[in-house]
Amino acid sequence: SAYLCGDHQRATPLLSVLVSESTVPSNKANAYRVQMKVAIAQNRPEQAIDFAHLGLREIGYDTPRHVSKLRAYATLRLLLFSLRNFDGHERQFVGSKKSPVARDATLILANLINAASQSGNVDIAIYVSGMLRISLKNNEVAEAACALCFFAVAVKTFFGDIDEAYRLGKIAI
């Protein structure tokens, strides 16, 4: 409640206690996610990125902290190539099982993308790619739509392909 009321000074130590005392990985991951939101609200994107990586590691989704610009471009290009005929309905792209851990991961990745965009971090390509793959594989429809929007922005930003970005945005909606 301290976080929701905007009392970040009080929320931070309470969240730290929750992280250190909790034995359930998803509870720790959610505490890290709230810590990320506090850091983003305080315009500390690098700290938010650190919290995201801790939360993802806690639930078994280890994401690289830094990647080269070449790897970021290659990751996006490969994902773009694999989705070139995707219209949102193909079962080959969408998994059938839901996973609470995957949902936690996609929520953390959504906040991580926000923090990375605040800091101008090129690693955003890896985060967008991860969020899209996890959400599609685990049939997390709302998160997949959000990830497709992020991916559309990344396609426009990295490749300048407005038509493909528009197509992906339409699928997301």
Side-chain angles (χ1 to χ4, degrees), residues 118-130:
Q118 265 187 5
S119 69
N121 193 324
V122 73
D123 299 335
I124 193 168
I126 298 297
Y127 308 146
V128 168
S129 164

Side-chain angles (χ1 to χ4, degrees), residues 11-12 62 100 113:
T12 301
D62 214 1
I113 291 164

Side-chain angles (χ1 to χ4, degrees), residues 121-172:
N121 193 324
V122 73
D123 299 335
I124 193 168
I126 298 297
Y127 308 146
V128 168
S129 164
M131 183 179 178
L132 187 55
R133 288 171 197 225
I134 292 167
S135 59
L136 286 175
K137 180 180 177 188
N138 293 283
N139 200 17
E140 296 293 341
V141 178
E143 289 77 11
C146 180
L148 270 172
C149 289
F150 285 136
F151 187 59
V153 170
V155 166
K156 169 62 177 97
T157 303
F158 282 85
F159 305 120
D161 191 344
I162 189 74
D163 294 330
E164 185 62 16
Y166 178 74
R167 182 184 78 81
L168 293 166
K170 277 182 25 184
I171 294 168

Side-chain angles (χ1 to χ4, degrees), residues 69-134:
K69 197 174 236 185
L70 180 63
R71 179 167 177 209
Y73 281 116
T75 299
L76 283 178
R77 182 59 75 186
L78 182 62
L79 188 55
L80 183 58
F81 180 76
S82 68
L83 292 175
R84 71 186 177 286
N85 295 319
F86 180 66
D87 68 4
H89 300 293
E90 290 90 350
R91 298 307 306 170
Q92 70 200 36
F93 290 104
V94 181
S96 59
K97 63 178 185 171
K98 287 192 173 258
S99 161
V101 174
R103 186 167 192 282
D104 288 342
T106 57
L107 292 173
I108 290 172
L109 283 163
N111 287 293
L112 179 54
I113 291 164
N114 182 7
S117 66
Q118 265 187 5
S119 69
N121 193 324
V122 73
D123 299 335
I124 193 168
I126 298 297
Y127 308 146
V128 168
S129 164
M131 183 179 178
L132 187 55
R133 288 171 197 225
I134 292 167

